Amino acid sequence: MKVEGRWRRSIELAEAGDAVVVLDQTRLPYAIAWLRIDDLAGAARAIRDMHVRGAPLIGATAAYGVALALRVDPSDAGLAAARATLAATRPTAVNLRWALDRMGAELAAVAPGDRAAAAFAAAARIVDEDAAQCEAIGRHGELLLRAAAARRPGQPVRVLTHCNAGWLATVDWGTALAPIYKAHEAGLPVEVWVDETRPRNQGMLTAWELAQHGVPHTVIADNAGGHLMQHGQVDLCIVGTDRTTRNGDVCNKIGTYLKALAAHDCGVPFYVAAPSPSIDWTVGEPAEIPIEERAADEVRWVAGRDGDDRPARVAVVPSGSAVANPAFDVTPRRLVTGLITERGTTPATAAGLAALFPEHARP
Ligand code: MRU
């Protein structure tokens, strides 16, 4: 990913190898600030307070959180406590549990004295695999963009995306945005409709990272997508996922379901970019997915910059009104045209997923 023209990852090992640094997403798009994470508490705080966010990056940060914790206490109890602390930070993205389970499995048989070094190596593997998976999703998804381009020769492909499922939400490349970056790099003209994504406005992160790469994009209010689809201005939608059931239902940022409904009604293909760590093979039905309820203040207040470019925060809800803030919703598999995984694109069905990932298929 490019930050001010330089290739970086959203999470990197500090030079001395004793900490990690992450691009602080609470400061974007107004300031580029790297946050140093030195210990377990710092990793847990970074995830809980959304300095890092996006399912794959949450998993990667948690993996390094375990490694940092083991530098202080490499005992079995220390490992278990680190996993429990990190698991409690956010409930919906299954990548968190996936990364913690994998760290636990890889470290259980390692002698405590060797555990911290083994944990840093294991976390580095998770991070590298994430980047490779996202790049593969980019390659598979690019084919879908090329197919859309062939339907409107000489015109740019118009993609609508929701939330931020770009490189900021992963280690590199992104999930939903990876096909866009691949197509853009290959010279295929792409234009992106960027949903604002209230209440936390992750669309601003999407706009910022697309701008860093020079990809043409337009930010729209969340409610505009249906209208644009109805009027033939969207060729396809691509979104990310925080947890996909083994049957193909997709839990993602609140508002994704409404976009899928509109896409279905308008005949617009609706794709979900789903790296395998975001697939929960233990969950069959959407009701089993825990939906995070976040603070009411995220809806009550909007943060940005004032006319003098100073940070500002304004209240937008009458003080006497109640507020609800469910952070995710589930799009039923019948509304999903296909899942773009690192192994290829498949129908959002149990059979489709099992064919691509036979090691997880149920007898
Ligand atoms: O609450 P967030 O910002 O962590 O939610 C992120 C999303 O919903 C993303 O779409 C999802 O994690 C996929 S990221 C590649």
Side-chain angles (χ1 to χ4, degrees):
M1 66 197 216
K2 258 193 232 168
V3 181
E4 294 180 310
R6 231 186 108 198
W7 288 94
R8 303 287 304 257
R9 282 181 164 184
S10 56
I11 184 165
E12 295 175 351
L13 203 55
E15 221 165 282
D18 56 347
V20 288
V21 285
V22 295
L23 190 51
D24 187 348
Q25 301 194 32
T26 63
R27 305 284 303 279
L28 289 170
Y30 305 108
I32 297 171
W34 292 85
L35 176 72
R36 186 181 159 97
I37 300 175
D38 295 286
D39 53 17
L40 172 64
R45 199 179 318 115
I47 298 170
R48 198 177 40 245
D49 297 346
M50 293 178 70
H51 297 281
V52 294
R53 46 148 296 284
L57 183 57
I58 289 171
T61 307
Y64 272 117
V66 170
L68 292 167
L70 293 179
R71 290 177 65 222
V72 179
D73 179 0
S75 67
D76 286 356
L79 176 58
R83 289 176 63 188
T85 299
L86 291 158
T89 51
R90 292 192 72 189
T92 302
V94 73
N95 306 58
L96 176 62
R97 188 190 74 202
W98 172 86
L100 293 172
D101 286 353
R102 180 160 143 176
M103 293 295 284
E106 290 197 18
L107 297 169
V110 178
D114 299 328
R115 261 194 192 146
F120 274 99
R125 280 194 295 277
I126 286 177
V127 159
D128 286 344
E129 280 173 31
D130 182 71
Q133 284 164 350
C134 287
E135 187 172 5
I137 284 174
R139 283 196 301 273
H140 298 302
E142 184 189 341
L143 302 177
L144 302 171
L145 267 60
R146 290 199 173 277
R151 291 193 286 273
R152 279 189 357 123
Q155 303 292 317
V157 181
R158 300 155 307 174
V159 185
L160 184 142
T161 192
H162 190 69
C163 193
N164 170 261
W167 49 251
L168 282 168
T170 65
V171 171
D172 206 351
W173 287 100
T175 58
L177 297 193
I180 291 166
Y181 289 125
K182 281 286 179 195
H184 180 72
E185 270 186 5
L188 187 79
V190 184
E191 290 176 0
V192 186
W193 294 113
V194 178
D195 279 356
E196 179 184 31
T197 317
R198 274 279 284 155
R200 285 191 69 99
N201 294 334
Q202 284 93 333
M204 302 314 143
L205 302 173
T206 297
W208 179 83
E209 63 164 84
L210 289 171
Q212 294 289 312
H213 285 256
V215 179
H217 61 279
T218 304
V219 176
I220 52 174
D222 286 320
N223 296 327
H227 167 82
L228 293 172
M229 290 189 231
Q230 235 174 12
H231 288 79
Q233 295 186 57
V234 180
D235 297 312
L236 71 164
C237 301
I238 313 181
V239 301
T241 175
D242 289 84
R243 193 184 295 229
T244 292
T245 69
R246 64 173 177 271
N247 293 320
D249 308 287
V250 171
C251 182
N252 191 49
K253 181 52 57 194
I254 194 78
T256 302
Y257 171 48
L258 286 176
K259 293 302 142 73
L261 281 172
H264 187 72
D265 192 49
C266 299
V268 172
F270 189 90
Y271 288 99
V272 176
S276 56
S278 64
I279 301 167
D280 189 343
W281 304 97
T282 71
V283 162
E285 293 310 319
E288 298 169 49
I289 300 175
I291 301 292
E292 181 176 15
E293 179 74 28
R294 292 192 56 86
D297 274 2
E298 292 185 352
V299 178
R300 287 189 188 285
W301 295 83
V302 173
R305 290 271 158 150
D306 68 13
D308 296 319
D309 209 26
R310 284 183 308 230
R313 204 165 160 260
V314 292
V316 289
V317 176
S319 54
S321 298
V323 160
N325 188 12
F328 298 92
D329 59 27
V330 179
T331 298
R333 51 192 177 261
R334 68 186 164 79
L335 300 177
V336 177
T337 309
L339 300 170
I340 314 169
T341 78
E342 69 270 24
R343 295 191 189 169
T345 302
T346 177
T349 60
L353 281 170
L356 277 189
F357 298 94
E359 67 273 34
H360 295 289
R362 301 202 153 200

